[in-house]
Structures are given as C-alpha cells and as structure tokens.
Amino acid sequence: MSRMLTLQAGDVIEFADGAEITSALVLLATDASVILDRCDGSTPTVITYEELGEVRRFDPESFELAA
C-alpha cells in the first residue's frame, strides 16, 4: 500500500472515526500501523494505515490565528 502522507511520532492528525472527525497525537509510527493518543483520557489505540483511511496532519507553518 502506498501512502501520500508519512506519519511520525509527535504529529497531530485528524481522521474520520465513523461519522466524526477525530484529532489525535501520533505516539509511535511504523510502516504498518500507528499508536494514537486521542488526548481524551482513553487508552492509546493501535491502528493500521488501512483502518485509518484519509488523514490530515496539522501544519503549524500554515496555521493562522483569527484576528
């Protein structure tokens, strides 16, 4: 499986979790899966890239605060 986006530990991502968009911190990333912390008090989750689906990574360089 080829991926356009390579995830690494420390990335903050958004992905579809059922009907909701979920934010999570990548704790560990391998070639096959990632360990995600949703920062909501739940246990970190191991998920494969196939299960993860489309991902959007937070890019602090393009982030702007509203004036």
Side-chain angles (χ1 to χ4, degrees):
M1 175 181 162
S2 64
R3 293 187 308 276
M4 296 289 290
L5 183 64
T6 302
L7 298 177
Q8 57 187 347
D11 286 343
V12 176
I13 63 169
E14 288 184 335
F15 62 99
D17 188 13
E20 296 182 21
I21 300 297
T22 300
S23 296
L25 174 65
V26 177
L27 299 178
L28 181 68
T30 69
D31 289 339
S33 59
V34 293
I35 299 176
L36 301 176
D37 184 350
R38 298 170 195 249
C39 301
D40 62 359
S42 64
T43 302
T45 306
V46 178
I47 188 167
T48 66
Y49 286 103
E50 290 174 351
E51 295 170 317
L52 195 56
E54 286 190 39
V55 174
R56 192 167 45 182
R57 180 176 37 214
F58 172 71
D59 179 12
E61 297 293 322
S62 64
F63 182 75
E64 293 181 24
L65 292 174

